[in-house]
């Protein structure tokens, strides 16, 4: 039994989200939507509801690849298609699970039949199902890299290719890409980020009346989905008709020279890379005009298009929040809006929705709607919020200092060969990478090792009655290729925030080094965690997470002061790793201890720290000590700590990528000696 989806027009607030989705319904060439926001903000609900508003699709009867009757794909695996009758089906929204296999995404080719019979037996995947529809990826930032690569290829070429040892199948795959994500769980790769035409930020409303309405509608739908949908049927039909009308009007919309100049000037002012932003802005502004029932593009359309198309494309540090300076945007539009007469109304403020107003509003909702926009952050009250106060840490505590400028670091990696989640740090057995050998397949064959398969089948050709040139291949002959690639690790930072690290210039350099390592972890698709110690105890400032941004925020607000409970910090880190191994046993850890090696406070602090460090060595945990000791007299305590950990020590200067060579080699050799 199919469940009744929540109606699109019943979503409370979230104006930017609804508008971005509707613009893509009007003009799929806009390129899709990325929805960023905290959990529980109706991201998935709105996306799933959109498919019910899309017009039906005309397809060739019996074609598994949804070829258009007017212009069928000449290379369709189910073709060639003769001119004839057409049939209609509802628009599809195909959901790509984060843990999907490559075969599930692109389709599966029966290699055994291809080798033995010369038959291309192909089972279409999700990219075929999504052709001329919506491909939806929930938690798109958690999608594995090899699936991201396939999505990028299909989005760029408008087609999907499945190739296995010289046997190739191609089919058209043009889809509207819609993704949702929670930024706290990590960011997207820049290449995939740029493939989304528009992006919107959503947040839960802080207005009590609006929150009440959200709960009221959600409960009403859960109690009687069909009845609730029936009450919103008229609103849904009105929006569906408006989408059809806007699609018909779209070819008549004129994008004047003045609007084009504003688009180009805006993209240049915000220093976006490439020309895709200009094209997306032009298509979005045109769709906004069509949605408003106009044939001319106004300045307000250009402004709204910039707010939707540019925030995720402007140059920024990965730890900066996305967004645009709206004052700068208005200044740019005003400056370049006076150079032509195409725009009769340069006022950037959107007017009332409708044929005479701006296109920057979604469809009006029922009278029971709460006021406000759930997609916008709450306004500040009188005065600005004070900066967060430093955490209590005892006498002698100093306030947080800013991190020094980050730099490119040496590559730190875990010794040996892992089998964890695909990433870019340490060597691992993976589904993708260079081929290192062959084995019998365990389950379905995914990567054929052709030479090993032929070698296994060759001795049995006479007994199998081979008479022709073809090779007689049986299931037992097939060999799976074993491959080596890279995995992502858990990088656990253990940071000394005691008084011995409190000198402002020194702590600024230490934070800059950790921030640099966080940037490296972001690029290598690692999980990160942060343990700090000072005063009399240690705390988990950030449990292991994929959100490197969150670690950078915690690091920035870290104060210093007090004694140096090194043993407590190491023991707390050891406990974090123990719990994380239960949750994700395949992901290997790299512990990065940032300290000068001093241990003070308590009974026998140095001996306790040594015993705690040897726990890591006994378990074979890879570790690096970043030696923060400075000054003319150095005690070498960090090096001693590295020896107890079974790891290696590196100074802040040696951490830089352009410093002395051999850091990775040192880490690996230390691990090899430990294993021996």
């Amino acid at each position: 039994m199919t469940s009744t989806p929540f109606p699109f027009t019943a979503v409370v607030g979230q104006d930017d989200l609804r508008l971005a989705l509707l613009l893509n319904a009007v003009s799929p060439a806009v390129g899709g939507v990325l929805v960023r926001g905290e959990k529980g903000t109706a991201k998935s609900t709105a996306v799933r509801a959109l498919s019910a508003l899309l017009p039906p699709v005309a397809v060739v009867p019996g074609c598994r690849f949804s070829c258009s009757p007017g212009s069928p794909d000449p290379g369709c695996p189910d073709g060639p298609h003769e001119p004839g009758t057409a049939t209609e089906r509802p628009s599809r929204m195909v959901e790509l699970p984060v843990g999907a296999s490559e075969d599930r995404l692109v389709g599966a080719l029966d290699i055994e039949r291809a080798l033995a019979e010369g038959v291309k037996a192909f089972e279409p995947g999700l990219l075929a199902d999504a052709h001329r529809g919506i491909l939806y990826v929930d938690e798109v930032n958690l999608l594995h890299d090899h699936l991201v690569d396939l999505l990028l290829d299909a989005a760029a070429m408008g087609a999907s290719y499945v190739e296995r040892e010289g046997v190739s199948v191609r089919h058209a795959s043009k889809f509207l890409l819609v993704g949702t994500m929670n930024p706290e769980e990590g960011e997207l790769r820049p290449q995939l980020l740029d493939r989304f035409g528009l992006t919107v930020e959503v947040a839960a409303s802080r207005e009590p009346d609006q929150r009440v309405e959200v709960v009221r509608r959600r409960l009403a739908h859960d109690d009687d989905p069909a009845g609730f949908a029936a009450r919103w049927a008229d609103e849904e039909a009105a929006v569906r008709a408006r989408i059809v009308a806007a699609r018909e009007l779209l070819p008549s919309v004129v994008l004047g020279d003045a609007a084009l100049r504003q688009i180009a000037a805006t993209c240049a002012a915000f220093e976006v890379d490439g020309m895709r932003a200009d094209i997306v802005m032009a298509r979005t502004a045109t769709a906004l005009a069509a949605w408003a029932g106009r044939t001319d593009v106004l300045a307000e359309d250009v402004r709204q298009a910039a707010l939707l198309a540019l925030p995720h494309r402007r140059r920024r540090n990965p730890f900066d929040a996305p967004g645009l300076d709206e004052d700068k945007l208005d200044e740019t539009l005003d400056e370049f809006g006076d150079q032509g007469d195409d725009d009769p109304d340069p006022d950037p403020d959107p007017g009332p929705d409708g044929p005479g107003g701006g296109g920057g509003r979604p469809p009006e909702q029922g009278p029971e709607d709460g006021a406000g926009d759930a997609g916008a952050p709450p306004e500040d009250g009188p005065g600005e919020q004070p900066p967060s106060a430093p955490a209590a840490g005892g006498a002698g505590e100093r306030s947080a200092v800013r991190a020094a400028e980050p730099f490119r670091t040496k590559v730190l990696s875990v010794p040996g060969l892992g089998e964890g989640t695909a990433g870019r740090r340490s060597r691992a057995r993976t589904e993708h990478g260079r081929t290192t050998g062959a084995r019998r397949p365990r389950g379905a064959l995914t990567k054929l090792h052709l030479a090993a398969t032929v070698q296994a089948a060759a001795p049995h050709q006479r007994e199998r009655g081979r008479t022709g040139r073809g090779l007689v291949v049986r299931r037992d002959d097939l060999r799976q290729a074993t491959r080596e690639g890279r995995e992502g690790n858990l990088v656990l930072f253990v940071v000394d925030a005691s008084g011995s690290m409190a000198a402002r210039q020194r702590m600024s350099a230490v934070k800059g080094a950790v921030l640099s390592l966080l940037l490296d972890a972001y690029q290598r698709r690692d999980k990160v965690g942060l343990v700090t110690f000072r005063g009399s105890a240690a705390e988990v400032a950030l449990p292991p997470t994929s959100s490197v941004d969150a670690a950078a925020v915690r690091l920035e607000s870290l104060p210093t002061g007090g004694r140096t409970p090194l043993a407590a910090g190491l023991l707390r880190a050891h406990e974090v790793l123990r719990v994380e191994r239960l949750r994700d046993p395949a992901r290997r850890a790299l512990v990065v201890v940032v300290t000068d090696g001093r241990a003070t406070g308590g009974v026998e602090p140095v001996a306790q720290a040594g015993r705690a460090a040897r726990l890591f060595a006994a378990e074979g945990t890879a570790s690096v000590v970043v030696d923060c000791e400075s000054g003319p007299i150095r005690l070498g305590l960090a090096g001693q700590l590295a020896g107890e950990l079974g790891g290696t020590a590196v100074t802040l200067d040696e951490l830089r990528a352009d410093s002395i060579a051999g850091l990775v080699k040192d880490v690996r050799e230390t691990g090899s000696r430990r294993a021996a």
Side-chain angles (χ1 to χ4, degrees), residues 186-221:
E187 286 288 350
L188 272 180
R189 283 172 54 183
Q191 296 92 332
L192 182 57
L193 190 63
D194 190 50
R195 282 292 170 186
F196 287 97
L198 310 179
T199 185
V200 291
E201 296 278 337
V202 297
S205 172
R206 300 297 184 262
E207 291 289 335
D209 290 344
Q210 195 171 57
R211 295 175 74 95
V212 166
E213 188 59 32
V214 170
V215 174
R216 181 182 291 123
R217 295 188 189 183
R218 183 76 258 179
L219 294 178
H221 177 265

Side-chain angles (χ1 to χ4, degrees), residues 1-55:
M1 180 179 179
T2 303
S3 60
T4 304
F6 195 90
F8 185 87
T9 51
V11 175
V12 179
Q14 308 295 20
D15 289 353
D16 287 343
L17 169 58
R18 293 186 294 123
L19 177 62
L21 292 171
L22 288 169
L23 292 177
N24 276 275
V26 171
S27 176
V30 167
V33 186
L34 174 64
V35 188
R36 297 165 48 96
E38 59 197 19
K39 52 186 177 295
T41 49
K43 301 188 299 294
S44 300
T45 298
V47 173
R48 292 189 174 102
L50 176 67
S51 60
L53 298 178
L54 298 180

Side-chain angles (χ1 to χ4, degrees), residues 473-484:
V473 179
R474 294 183 179 171
R475 178 69 186 175
D476 290 343
D477 302 326
L478 299 179
R479 294 294 182 267
Q480 174 84 23
T482 57
R483 302 193 173 194
E484 182 179 309

Side-chain angles (χ1 to χ4, degrees), residues 57-70:
V57 177
V59 297
V60 173
C63 178
R64 296 175 297 166
F65 302 88
S66 301
C67 281
S68 171

Side-chain angles (χ1 to χ4, degrees), residues 410 660-667:
K410 293 282 191 182
I660 61 174
L663 175 59
V664 179
K665 180 182 177 184
D666 289 344
V667 176

Side-chain angles (χ1 to χ4, degrees), residues 394-657:
E397 179 180 290
R398 303 190 185 190
S399 59
V401 298
R402 295 186 64 83
E405 193 68 22
F407 52 85
R408 191 165 64 91
T409 67
K410 293 282 191 182
V411 180
L412 306 177
S413 62
V414 178
L417 195 63
E419 294 182 343
T421 303
R424 299 195 185 102
R425 182 171 297 278
S426 305
R427 294 172 56 220
R429 298 183 184 91
T430 61
E431 287 294 318
H432 299 268
R434 63 185 182 90
T435 300
T436 58
R439 60 171 173 81
R440 291 182 181 273
R442 302 165 190 165
L445 178 72
T446 55
K447 297 291 182 182
L448 178 75
H449 194 296
L450 183 58
T453 299
V454 172
Q455 187 176 11
H460 308 290
Q461 296 306 294
R462 180 175 296 178
E463 64 189 67
R464 292 176 183 175
R466 172 185 169 184
T467 57
R469 298 178 59 186
L471 190 69
V472 180
V473 179
R474 294 183 179 171
R475 178 69 186 175
D476 290 343
D477 302 326
L478 299 179
R479 294 294 182 267
Q480 174 84 23
T482 57
R483 302 193 173 194
E484 182 179 309
R486 295 279 169 176
E487 67 177 0
N489 297 113
L490 166 60
V491 182
L492 182 61
F493 294 93
V494 185
V495 180
D496 184 347
S498 65
S500 65
M501 305 280 287
R504 283 189 170 271
Q505 187 174 1
R506 184 179 180 190
M507 197 59 197
S508 177
V510 168
K511 284 188 175 183
V514 178
L515 185 63
S516 303
L517 290 167
L518 285 171
L519 277 165
D520 183 67
Y522 164 79
Q523 294 164 350
R524 299 184 188 281
R525 311 289 286 178
D526 295 316
K527 290 180 71 172
V528 296
L530 180 62
V531 173
T532 63
F533 57 95
R534 63 190 177 94
S536 59
E539 65 172 347
V540 181
L542 183 73
T545 175
S546 296
S547 177
V548 179
D549 297 41
V553 171
R554 303 292 172 88
L555 175 71
E556 192 68 28
S557 61
L558 177 66
T560 56
R563 294 184 178 274
T564 312
L566 178 57
L570 294 175
L571 290 174
R572 181 58 62 91
H574 186 266
E575 177 62 17
V576 169
L577 292 185
R578 185 189 69 81
V579 173
E580 193 63 20
R581 285 192 195 100
L582 297 175
R583 294 174 176 167
D584 191 357
R587 188 183 291 269
R588 298 186 296 163
L590 173 65
V591 177
V592 180
V593 185
V594 185
T595 181
D596 57 9
R598 298 174 186 269
T600 60
V603 180
E604 297 184 330
V606 176
Q608 289 187 30
R611 285 193 290 270
R614 286 191 289 274
L615 293 175
F616 293 87
E619 295 174 350
T621 303
S623 60
V624 176
V625 177
V626 179
D627 184 358
C628 301
E629 193 173 29
S630 60
I633 301 176
R634 304 200 177 204
L635 303 178
L637 298 176
Q640 296 177 26
L641 175 63
E644 298 278 11
L645 286 165
T648 189
V650 56
T651 66
L652 289 173
D653 289 337
E654 293 169 346
L655 191 61
R656 294 179 178 271

